[in-house]
Amino acid sequence: MAQLIDGKAVAARVRAEVKAEVEQLKASRGLVPGLTVVRVGEDPASKIYVTGKKKAAEEVGFNSWEEHPDESITEDALLAIIDRLNKDPAVHGILVQLPLPKHIDSERIISAVRPEKDADGFHPMNAGKLSLGKPALRPCTPFGVMRLLQEVGCNPAGKRAVVVGRSNIVGKPMALMLLQADATVTVCHRKSDLKFEVGMADIVVAAVGVPELIKGEWIKPGAVVIDVGMNRMPDGKLKGDVEFEKAKERASFITPVPGGVGPMTIAMLMRNTLDAAKAT
Ligand code: NAP
């Protein structure tokens, strides 16, 4: 029977570490890290996420601001906001909450953020550095998964890791981080034989967005299972991408949904913003 990985507790630890470093930074350099979240329009899910991010930023002692332009803002006007934030020395991290309205080219906006202030780690420069194995601000969700693995004493070196999903924000950077940690990495997608690949894995990271796609009986006994999936079910409950009840019979460690990877994403955003401030 697997041990549960308590993402809430690990995230609280990460925030406490960040808070302690913020206090040191204030004492040694008089520097207070600043995070600005840009939220366009009234997407209800974005509002919840942004509230969580602002709360965490305040908890760790950052200055935190929100830019909240109307849904009808033009791309040029949004670029002007980004340009102002890029030039503001009090702002060390800029996060553009996705999705943006359809008339705005998200890639153009993300690319306009200065890479040194790219708290989400989505800028092409940071993505490129990650693929080159160079230090960079890293996408928060896979960065959080690496911390969870570390917390349960799972060193990926020499292990077979299977990442299901190849999105630019989770699957691909996850695979690169595991590779950098010396795992042998396989990335799966719609054309993959999931049962075969998952069955070979010492570490399984599921980032798909299909409830319980990864069957418990596929899991290699003793594997570490990390479920990034967050699927809202008709009854309002959240379900992961892994068939949790059966997978936990075979895994050594497993993340629950909710309470596994979810809380880590915001905690690692705090870590990225602190690192961005320290680098100035
Ligand atoms: P995404 O952009 O939709 O990518 C999904 C990936 O899964 C794609 O690469 C897709 O393959 C693959 N896939 C979909 N159906 C599949 C199937 N039947 N068999 C095999 N592969 C399949 O999703 P995402 O943004 O990476 O998010 C994935 C999940 O993580 C979602 O549930 C999301 O809510 C969750 N998430 C959680 C957090 C968090 O903080 N915990 C953060 C981000 C995302 P193809 O490339 O072949 O289409």
Side-chain angles (χ1 to χ4, degrees), residues 224-245:
V224 175
V225 178
I226 308 286
D227 192 346
V228 181
M230 290 207 300
N231 307 292
R232 186 71 61 189
M233 305 308 283
D235 63 4
K237 291 196 177 133
L238 274 184
K239 236 192 187 97
D241 292 340
V242 177
E243 199 185 23
F244 179 79
E245 289 303 327

Side-chain angles (χ1 to χ4, degrees), residues 35-39 50 53 93-97 117 119-120 269:
L35 173 68
T36 297
V37 180
V38 180
R39 174 167 71 98
V50 168
K53 287 168 187 174
I94 302 169
L95 181 146
V96 181
Q97 185 65 46
K117 295 191 177 192
D120 248 343
L269 173 68

Side-chain angles (χ1 to χ4, degrees), residues 68-138:
H68 184 205
D70 191 77
E71 173 95 26
S72 62
I73 189 170
T74 62
E75 196 169 291
D76 283 346
L78 188 55
L79 286 169
I81 292 177
I82 302 291
D83 185 50
R84 172 164 53 76
L85 298 172
N86 278 339
K87 289 177 178 148
D88 185 341
V91 175
H92 304 97
I94 302 169
L95 181 146
V96 181
Q97 185 65 46
L98 301 175
L100 291 172
K102 289 200 171 40
H103 65 277
I104 292 176
D105 178 352
S106 303
E107 274 185 33
R108 192 164 171 226
I109 301 298
I110 289 168
S111 300
V113 173
R114 266 180 61 187
E116 302 86 350
K117 295 191 177 192
D118 170 37
D120 248 343
F122 291 166
H123 190 285
M125 177 78 85
N126 286 321
K129 281 188 175 171
L130 177 62
S131 76
L132 294 173
K134 301 238 182 305
L137 294 170
R138 278 165 282 182

Side-chain angles (χ1 to χ4, degrees), residues 49 141 164-171 188-192 194 206-210 213 227-231 239 241 261-266:
Y49 293 140
T141 301
V164 188
R166 56 176 165 183
S167 71
N168 290 332
I169 60 169
V170 190
C188 296
H189 44 76
R190 283 171 212 271
K191 303 284 183 195
S192 307
L194 293 185
V208 188
V210 178
L213 178 75
D227 192 346
V228 181
M230 290 207 300
N231 307 292
K239 236 192 187 97
D241 292 340
V261 176
M264 292 302 291
T265 300
I266 294 184

